[in-house]
Amino acid sequence: MTVISSSFVLVFLLLASLCCAAPATNPKATTISIVASKPTSSLQSAVPKAAASSQSAVPKPAASSQPAAKAPPALLSQATADEAGGGVPSGPLPATSFTPNAVQLFKVANFIENIESAFFAQVLQSLGKDQNFNAPATDGRSIANVTSQIAAQELVHIATVGGLLGAAGEQAVPACANVVGVTDTNDFLARSNVITSASIGVIIGLISTLAMSDPTLVRPLASILSTESQQDTFFRMSGNNTPSAAPFNTGLSTTFAYNIALTFVDPRSCPQLMPLPILPSLNLTSPMMTATAPVTPPTSITFNATEVPRDGNLYVGWVNQANPVVYTNVTLKNGVGSADVPKGLTGITFAALTAQMTEITVDGLSNVTLAGPAAVLLS
Ligand SMILES: *[C@@H]1O[C@H](CO)[C@@H](O)[C@H](O)[C@H]1NC(C)=O
Ligand SMILES: *[C@@H]1O[C@H](CO)[C@@H](O)[C@H](O)[C@H]1NC(C)=O
Ligand SMILES: *[C@@H]1O[C@H](CO)[C@@H](O)[C@H](O)[C@H]1NC(C)=O
Ligand SMILES: *[C@@H]1O[C@H](CO)[C@@H](O)[C@H](O)[C@H]1NC(C)=O
Ligand SMILES: *[C@@H]1O[C@H](CO)[C@@H](O)[C@H](O)[C@H]1NC(C)=O
């Protein structure tokens, strides 16, 4: 039980990283400087309020229950933990050895989680007067109410991840300062779906990597994964989509998730970038990312190709569900690129411009991507 609860801490770290990805389709959105809503003064360990069950050990601040171990920094207010439904996992820190691989993946997760948190915090401020955002639904909760809880959960994830990295003798990743703003509730829902889908996608990838290097982290990650899916379901349904569009969610590489997350911020405002490639964005001109999937799924995409190399054949690699990457040909005409959407893709898919069509894994495609990934909502 102890091992499991400690792995939960790690899982939360990973969740954070998973959460934040967004399409770069909104280059003209304004950049808003975020006022940190993370409480830095009232520091206290949160007690899990809604902790279920039998396996909850001592519902006391971690610090007091393990005086010998280096306790994670307590960065959470009780109010945040209450709103989130619980705080940083209690109990001893994970007994697992943090492999260098796991440290690196947790830092990527920390980076993405920071962005996700800042995105939700920014939206709660900027849409404070938006009627669709604040109107209560029949259950009495508005989109703002639910988003507020999700934002609190992100703060718990960040505190948890930071604490785990600290226990491994590593610095937490500092947050990027400037987040790209949203224009309205529909824009928010569209981008939230992208972020959570990217988060889900990177967690799927992290689990398969950590299963080999740090297997005790798999269980907590799987727990985080299902929470992310619940959050995505909320965003999808708020946008009048079916709760789940496909039998499988789509796994992503850290590089793809990182690049999606970077579209939510001004990268120049990030004190520390990750040692991952920053790819040119694939600037779609159709379909634009929307909260609601089109009634008829798009059969092609178009993108601004003025900066795209003209020599040789180009392809779009499509990542969807648990399938191998599939490719369609790119046609360039008057500075506009177009490619068909392969048949059989559903839900949200990720498209990347490339000059080859032999890589069948998303990791392989990530190494040879010329621009992208771009999120495309099909259903
Ligand atoms: C929703 O948020 C408003 C504004 O913060 C708050 O007054 C209200 O109690 C919340 N409703 C629920 C059901 O949480
Ligand atoms: C295409 O991109 C170029 C530079 O990247 C920009 O100058 C141009 O306005 C864009 N065209 C459209 C239609 O967005
Ligand atoms: C997409 O647009 C950005 C900003 O205009 C530009 O820097 C980038 O090169 C474009 N990507 C492609 C593949 O043209
Ligand atoms: C795509 O391009 C390849 C050559 O790279 C060609 O063999 C193939 O027929 C093309 N497919 C379609 C559907 O046009
Ligand atoms: C991608 O590139 C990295 C760095 O060169 C390499 O270590 C990795 O094996 C490559 N992955 C795939 C799937 O080709």
Side-chain angles (χ1 to χ4, degrees):
M1 289 311 167
T2 300
V3 170
I4 290 175
S5 60
S6 53
S7 341
F8 263 98
V9 175
L10 295 174
V11 168
F12 281 117
L13 292 175
L14 293 172
L15 283 179
S17 58
L18 294 174
C19 293
C20 321
T25 54
N26 198 4
K28 53 184 175 6
T30 53
T31 295
I32 294 177
S33 217
I34 279 301
V35 177
S37 61
K38 297 170 244 181
T40 50
S41 52
S42 71
L43 305 180
Q44 68 186 103
S45 265
V47 178
K49 170 200 187 185
S53 69
S54 44
Q55 60 153 257
S56 69
V58 190
K60 270 186 218 157
S64 65
S65 60
Q66 45 163 11
K70 219 190 297 178
L75 301 170
L76 226 50
S77 71
Q78 186 63 53
T80 298
D82 285 347
E83 181 156 38
V88 174
S90 57
L93 293 169
T96 180
S97 64
F98 247 100
T99 63
N101 175 53
V103 167
Q104 193 47 47
L105 293 178
F106 271 88
K107 287 195 173 182
V108 174
N110 194 169
F111 183 93
I112 298 175
E113 187 169 331
N114 287 343
I115 290 177
E116 185 177 22
S117 172
F119 173 70
F120 290 127
Q122 175 263 120
V123 166
L124 286 166
Q125 288 185 9
S126 67
L127 295 185
K129 300 261 187 308
D130 188 289
Q131 179 61 22
N132 292 332
F133 192 66
N134 292 288
T138 49
D139 66 357
R141 288 188 190 85
S142 61
I143 294 172
N145 287 129
V146 178
T147 301
S148 184
Q149 183 176 39
I150 291 171
Q153 290 165 350
E154 293 314 314
L155 291 177
V156 176
H157 293 169
I158 289 171
T160 304
V161 170
L164 287 174
L165 283 170
E170 298 283 337
Q171 297 283 317
V173 178
C176 308
N178 297 334
V179 181
V180 177
V182 298
T183 53
D184 56 23
T185 297
N186 278 339
D187 187 25
F188 165 63
L189 292 173
R191 289 167 60 74
S192 296
N193 185 17
V194 173
I195 288 180
T196 50
S197 295
S199 174
I200 288 166
V202 76
I203 292 174
I204 291 171
L206 291 185
I207 284 178
S208 63
T209 303
L210 291 173
M212 291 180 276
S213 67
D214 300 73
T216 57
L217 299 180
V218 167
R219 190 182 179 102
L221 277 180
S223 179
I224 290 173
L225 183 56
S226 65
T227 297
E228 289 293 322
S229 299
Q230 290 166 344
Q231 295 176 351
D232 191 45
T233 292
F234 170 73
F235 297 128
R236 280 186 55 87
M237 292 185 74
S238 297
N240 293 318
N241 301 294
T242 57
S244 61
F248 299 92
N249 278 315
T250 302
L252 292 176
S253 60
T254 50
T255 295
F256 273 12
Y258 176 63
N259 277 273
I260 292 169
L262 282 175
T263 66
F264 281 79
V265 295
D266 179 351
R268 294 167 301 184
S269 75
C270 302
Q272 181 186 349
L273 293 169
M274 296 292 102
L276 293 169
I278 296 181
L279 303 166
S281 53
L282 181 60
N283 300 315
L284 296 191
T285 46
S286 77
M288 301 311 286
M289 180 57 61
T290 50
T292 307
V295 176
T296 305
T299 55
S300 66
I301 60 168
T302 58
F303 53 93
N304 185 335
T306 53
E307 308 280 324
V308 165
R310 259 139 238 281
D311 48 328
N313 293 326
L314 293 172
Y315 310 93
V316 169
W318 299 88
V319 188
N320 188 238
Q321 299 187 54
N323 298 308
V325 177
V326 291
Y327 293 88
T328 54
N329 292 349
V330 166
T331 304
L332 295 179
K333 195 173 174 189
N334 301 327
V336 175
S338 62
D340 288 344
V341 178
K343 291 199 182 359
L345 307 192
T346 53
I348 199 164
T349 183
F350 297 88
L353 183 70
T354 181
Q356 55 74 53
M357 50 192 309
T358 56
E359 297 287 352
I360 60 169
T361 67
V362 65
D363 286 327
L365 174 62
S366 299
N367 278 357
V368 291
T369 290
L370 300 173
V376 182
L377 183 61
L378 300 174
S379 58

